[in-house]
Amino acid sequence: MSRVNFDTLLEAGCHFGHLKRKWNPAMAPYIFMERNGIHIIDLNKTVAKVDEAAEALKQIAKSGKKVLFVATKKQAKQVVAEKAASVNMPYVIERWPGGMLTNFPTIRKAVKKMATIDKLTNDGTYSNLSKREVLQISRQRAKLEKNLGSIADLTRLPSALFVIDVLKENIAVREANRLGIPVFAIVDTNSDPSNVDFVIPANDDATKSVEVILDACCAAIAEGLEERKAEKVDMEAAGENAPKAAKKKTTKARMDKAEEDAINAAKAAAFIGKDEEA
């Protein structure tokens, strides 16, 4: 069964593309028709592509890897932040820090700096500083939190990128392509899908459109995380039962040996008795 249906996408306005004069010819396979100078996206293909992307995201989550969500456009920022946080995934909704993927160690240093400021604040070190110095540090901490707070838990490169509007987030897409990180993206009729591994053709300007697609993808990620958790519990249970089984086996072996000794002793006694009679 599909994770989204045609009617839901239609109600959300996922089929509205850009003006015909702004289109990218590479999106031709995903365009159904043109009406009043606007391209209409083929939602049957959108449904198929959402299912394909959702299944791949589920497998990534199941393997315990991270998916980085990227959306710096006003219409999608809040929705992406909520949906990504709901499945405990990192996200970027402010300006994309150039070199975030290709120069990841430097970004990690900035995140660690934020953690250091927090530590010094908690242990009372800043109580000896002047008001001006404290204010400067507080401003620096706020700036780091705004830009990097949502990726504080990202200790290594993400295994995939989920992008809203590849035209606006072209730097992020290029960095991911350079490092071989798979890119999932909502692609509108004015964008180039050639650099995207999992294309979801849909309207990337409407909040409702973005929300419907993210709902399906995040639900798949949540399923992957649940399955991972269930497998972990099963493995732990199997690990606990294994020594017990071994113990039972050892006990049985001891009992078998004791019985064998008793039989041998009885045979020996009978043999000695016959000798004495003779």
Side-chain angles (χ1 to χ4, degrees), residues 145-261:
E145 175 65 38
K146 184 181 179 183
N147 294 321
L148 305 173
S150 58
I151 59 163
D153 297 331
L154 191 66
T155 53
R156 57 183 180 179
L157 282 171
S159 294
L161 226 64
F162 194 104
V163 177
I164 314 296
D165 194 344
V166 292
L167 203 61
K168 186 173 176 62
E169 315 300 344
N170 64 89
I171 298 172
V173 173
R174 285 209 305 272
E175 286 188 32
N177 290 155
R178 186 174 172 184
L179 296 173
I181 297 171
V183 178
F184 296 74
I186 297 177
V187 187
D188 213 328
T189 57
N190 66 333
S191 305
D192 182 8
S194 59
N195 295 325
V196 179
D197 300 278
F198 292 87
V199 177
I200 301 174
N203 180 359
D204 61 12
D205 294 310
T207 304
K208 190 69 179 170
S209 171
V210 172
E211 189 175 1
V212 166
I213 291 167
L214 281 178
D215 275 337
C217 293
C218 289
I221 291 173
E223 281 177 26
L225 293 172
E226 283 300 318
E227 285 183 16
R228 177 177 170 77
K229 199 181 290 183
E231 282 182 4
K232 203 172 180 182
V233 170
D234 291 343
M235 284 174 69
E236 286 174 1
E240 286 173 6
N241 291 333
K244 289 180 183 176
K247 193 174 181 182
K248 284 180 183 175
K249 194 174 180 182
T250 308
T251 307
K252 190 180 178 186
R254 281 178 190 162
M255 286 173 68
D256 290 345
K257 192 174 186 302
E259 285 173 8
E260 191 180 335
D261 290 343

Side-chain angles (χ1 to χ4, degrees), residues 13-171:
C14 297
H15 58 296
F16 291 120
H18 280 266
L19 292 169
K20 185 182 176 182
R21 59 188 173 82
K22 289 186 177 181
W23 82 309
N24 190 314
M27 283 297 288
Y30 306 108
I31 294 172
F32 178 65
M33 63 180 290
E34 178 245 322
R35 180 178 289 173
N36 299 329
I38 295 173
H39 275 131
I40 304 298
I41 295 165
D42 187 347
L43 291 184
N44 287 313
K45 290 186 178 176
T46 304
V47 170
K49 290 292 184 180
V50 168
D51 288 342
E52 185 186 329
E55 193 55 41
L57 288 167
K58 180 181 175 181
Q59 293 307 317
I60 290 170
K62 192 176 177 181
S63 62
K65 295 172 182 175
K66 294 285 185 182
V67 179
L68 177 62
F69 287 80
V70 185
T72 59
K73 65 197 304 181
K74 191 178 178 182
Q75 305 95 306
K77 282 167 73 169
Q78 195 58 39
V79 176
V80 169
E82 288 172 7
K83 301 298 178 188
S86 69
V87 288
N88 197 29
M89 290 293 172
Y91 56 90
V92 174
I93 57 171
E94 298 301 329
R95 185 183 65 84
W96 173 263
M100 181 174 166
L101 299 178
T102 51
N103 195 15
F104 190 68
T106 304
I107 299 295
R108 281 301 303 161
K109 282 179 187 176
V111 173
K112 285 177 183 176
K113 189 175 183 180
M114 191 165 62
T116 305
I117 292 172
D118 288 341
K119 187 179 177 183
L120 294 174
T121 304
N122 294 331
D123 65 15
T125 305
Y126 288 153
S127 59
N128 300 323
L129 300 176
S130 66
K131 284 185 180 179
R132 185 182 177 186
E133 287 171 327
V134 171
L135 186 63
Q136 284 177 338
I137 292 168
S138 299
R139 282 175 180 167
Q140 189 180 23
R141 171 70 177 77
K143 188 177 179 182
L144 287 169
E145 175 65 38
K146 184 181 179 183
N147 294 321
L148 305 173
S150 58
I151 59 163
D153 297 331
L154 191 66
T155 53
R156 57 183 180 179
L157 282 171
S159 294
L161 226 64
F162 194 104
V163 177
I164 314 296
D165 194 344
V166 292
L167 203 61
K168 186 173 176 62
E169 315 300 344
N170 64 89
I171 298 172

